[in-house]
Amino acid sequence: MAELVRATIDVAALITEASRPDCGAVSLFIGNSRDHNEGRKVTRLEYEAYEPMALPALERLEREACARFAIASCRIVHRLGEVPIAEASVAVVVAAAHRQPAFDACQWAMNELKRSVPIWKKEFFAAGGEEWVKGTPLGP
């Protein structure tokens, strides 16, 4: 079940939850906030979402990942509000019998999240100012 949270993402709990006796692979992607973008020093990030659309969209991605790939589970957690530098903004964890489907599903889910879920990132700069990050279409 997907989540939108306003606190630190509990990565250890996600791994524990995904671990199962029938799955030899757990693939985890963590998107951390970084201290730079396009040559500018970033001091912090903030995420906003249209929650009535974003949460169902994340849940749909989890279900679709399970349908598209040979995996047992997919879980997505995205943080909202302020995210300090080097902390997790998003986590995608996938469990599967084998590693390749787990890797593939994890990558697909993250790419689709960035492309289609109404969550927006604002960067705050050391030199002053702030701006919303522009999305980049993934293409066909």
Side-chain angles (χ1 to χ4, degrees):
M1 173 198 272
E3 282 186 276
L4 295 169
V5 299
R6 287 180 168 70
T8 303
I9 296 173
D10 188 346
V11 175
L14 291 173
I15 294 168
T16 298
E17 178 187 304
S19 298
R20 324 165 21 143
D22 61 328
C23 292
V26 173
S27 182
L28 171 66
F29 173 82
I30 301 171
N32 285 346
S33 59
R34 63 178 180 269
D35 67 357
H36 66 280
N37 188 26
E38 298 182 356
R40 298 166 77 184
K41 177 124 176 89
V42 175
T43 58
R44 68 184 173 96
L45 301 178
E46 283 185 10
Y47 287 88
E48 290 186 17
Y50 181 59
E51 294 183 50
M53 279 182 72
L55 190 56
L58 293 175
E59 291 169 346
R60 185 178 62 252
L61 289 179
E62 290 176 339
R63 288 190 306 274
E64 192 169 340
C66 290
R68 283 177 169 256
F69 301 92
I71 63 172
S73 66
C74 176
R75 184 93 148 55
I76 303 170
V77 179
H78 204 297
R79 190 166 170 181
L80 300 178
E82 184 175 338
V83 179
I85 299 301
E87 288 192 17
S89 300
V90 61
V92 177
V93 63
V94 174
H98 302 284
R99 70 180 173 271
Q100 197 60 56
F103 288 146
D104 293 344
C106 196
Q107 181 178 23
W108 176 88
M110 189 62 221
N111 287 344
E112 284 299 306
L113 183 159
K114 296 288 280 182
R115 187 184 70 75
S116 67
V117 179
I119 297 174
W120 303 279
K121 176 170 61 173
K122 185 188 287 186
E123 294 176 321
F124 293 81
F125 303 103
E130 61 194 51
E131 67 183 45
W132 292 102
V133 174
K134 295 180 178 115
T136 304
L138 292 174

